Amino acid sequence: MQAIEGEGRSEMEYTEIETSADSLDSSVIFHVVTDILGFVLYMHQQIPSIFQDICVEFDTLRTEYKELEKDLAQTEEKASLRRKHAGRMRDVKREIRRLEKLMNTVSNLQTALQLMISENPNIQEIILALGATPLRPQHVYQVCFSHGKVVSKGACDFTKSKAAEALSRKAIRTMISKGAGSDSYPGPTKLFMLVKAPSSFSLPLHFLPKRDFKYSKKVVPFRLRFKCRTQNHEMDSSHYDSEAASSTKLVDSTSNDLLWFQCRHILKGLACKTSTTEE
C-alpha cells in the first residue's frame, strides 16, 4: 500500500485487521468506514453520542414534536398549561434544529460513499481528516483495504451484515487499544472525507478531484489496513512487502490513473459537553 503524500515519513506503519473472509464486499466496506467515521467524531467529542443513538434521539424528538403540536391544537387547557406546553415545543424544536444539519450531512455523506463504492467496488484508500481544513488537519485517519479474491461486479447491497458488524467492532476495539481519539478536547471542528479513485471517476454533486492533495507533514496519521485471510499467508505477506517497498514508485506511476477525491459533504461537529473521564 502506497505512502500518503503528505505524511512526511518513509516508513510504513499500519495497524492490520484481518478478516476470515476471502474478499471484502461493498456492504462491508461501507459500514466499516461509516462506523469508523462515527467513532472518530465521538472520540474527538464532535458528537454527543454514537450515530445510532443520535438517530434514535432525532426520531424521538420529531415524534414528540408532532404529538405536542397535535395535542396543543386539540385540547382546551388553561393558559398556564398551554404556555408550558408551548415552551416544551420550543425546546424540542430547538433540539431538532441542532441535530438536523448534522443528520442531513451524514445522510448525504453516506449516499456519496455508497455511490463511490458502487462505481469503484475495489476501493483501496480513504482518508478522514479532522480539523479546520483537509490541508492542515489536527488528526488524520487512513483506512486501507485489501480486497482478497476479486468478485464479479453486480448490484450493491448495502444492508449491514453480521460480517460487517463484527469487523466494525473489531476495528473500533483496535483503535481504542491504540489510543485513537485520546487527545484533549479541541472544540467543534470539521471532518473531511477523501477517497482515492480512478481519474475518470465523475460524481460532481458529491466529490471534487484533488489532484495534488497533500496534508501537513506535521500530522502523523493513524493507519488501519483491512486484510483478507488467504490460504497462502506467505504469498500474501510477500505481496505486502513488495507494496511497501515500491510505495514511492507507485505514487508516481499511478498519478495519472488515481486521484484523491474530496467529498463535498463536510461534517461539522456539535458543541458537546462531555465528561473528561468519559470513554
Side-chain angles (χ1 to χ4, degrees):
M1 197 65 62
Q2 66 219 57
I4 292 300
E5 294 92 320
E7 156 263 336
R9 297 189 306 171
S10 60
E11 64 267 24
M12 305 298 291
E13 296 181 1
Y14 286 97
T15 298
E16 290 198 342
I17 298 178
E18 191 175 78
T19 173
S20 59
D22 291 330
S23 64
L24 294 171
D25 62 30
S26 300
S27 175
V28 169
I29 294 172
F30 169 73
H31 288 290
V32 166
V33 172
T34 52
D35 286 347
I36 289 175
L37 187 151
F39 167 77
V40 168
L41 288 172
Y42 178 58
M43 290 301 287
H44 285 287
Q45 301 182 37
Q46 297 303 304
I47 54 177
S49 56
I50 61 175
F51 277 156
Q52 291 89 333
D53 290 347
I54 292 177
C55 288
V56 171
E57 180 185 358
F58 186 63
D59 290 341
T60 301
L61 286 169
R62 289 194 299 180
T63 300
E64 182 182 359
Y65 186 82
K66 289 179 181 178
E67 291 176 350
L68 287 168
E69 197 173 37
K70 184 178 179 181
D71 291 344
L72 190 61
Q74 292 180 350
T75 60
E76 295 182 1
E77 297 176 335
K78 293 181 180 179
S80 59
L81 291 177
R82 289 181 66 83
R83 284 195 297 269
K84 184 177 180 180
H85 202 105
R88 176 57 186 164
M89 284 181 65
R90 286 193 298 270
D91 291 341
V92 172
K93 191 172 184 178
R94 189 183 306 115
E95 282 300 302
I96 290 174
R97 286 178 174 174
R98 188 175 78 94
L99 296 176
E100 194 167 32
K101 188 173 183 179
L102 172 70
M103 299 305 298
N104 288 338
T105 307
V106 169
S107 177
N108 290 335
L109 188 145
Q110 289 177 333
T111 297
L113 184 58
Q114 287 180 354
L115 291 171
M116 168 65 84
I117 295 173
S118 297
E119 291 290 324
N120 302 278
N122 292 323
I123 193 168
Q124 294 183 0
E125 296 183 57
I126 292 177
I127 282 179
L128 303 175
L130 196 67
T133 73
L135 300 178
R136 293 179 177 82
Q138 295 170 327
H139 306 279
V140 171
Y141 294 85
Q142 178 193 354
V143 185
C144 300
F145 296 96
S146 170
H147 291 260
K149 293 181 180 179
V150 178
V151 293
S152 59
K153 183 179 178 180
C156 295
D157 179 9
F158 291 103
T159 303
K160 193 168 190 177
S161 63
K162 289 184 178 179
E165 198 170 319
L167 195 58
S168 289
R169 285 200 302 266
K170 188 175 182 179
I172 290 172
R173 285 197 301 267
T174 301
M175 293 176 74
I176 292 173
S177 70
K178 297 290 183 179
S182 59
D183 292 357
S184 59
Y185 173 56
T189 187
K190 301 174 183 178
L191 186 140
F192 304 86
M193 183 178 72
L194 295 103
V195 184
K196 184 158 278 191
S199 58
S200 59
F201 174 75
S202 180
L203 206 63
L205 293 179
H206 296 288
F207 289 93
L208 293 173
K210 299 291 181 179
R211 184 174 294 277
D212 298 317
F213 171 69
K214 295 181 180 180
Y215 57 78
S216 173
K217 294 181 180 180
K218 297 179 181 180
V219 179
V220 180
F222 185 99
R223 294 196 182 98
L224 279 175
R225 179 163 59 196
F226 293 87
K227 176 181 174 182
C228 294
R229 183 179 299 169
T230 61
Q231 293 180 347
N232 191 335
H233 285 270
E234 292 182 1
M235 182 180 296
D236 196 54
S237 177
S238 64
H239 171 68
Y240 278 107
D241 291 340
S242 65
E243 278 188 328
S246 62
S247 60
T248 304
K249 294 180 181 179
L250 191 57
V251 169
D252 295 333
S253 64
T254 62
S255 60
N256 292 327
D257 299 323
L258 294 174
L259 296 178
W260 284 109
F261 287 82
Q262 181 181 324
C263 185
R264 284 179 174 270
H265 311 297
I266 300 168
L267 282 169
K268 295 181 181 180
L270 301 174
C272 304
K273 293 182 180 180
T274 55
S275 171
T276 56
T277 60
E278 184 176 357
E279 293 294 327

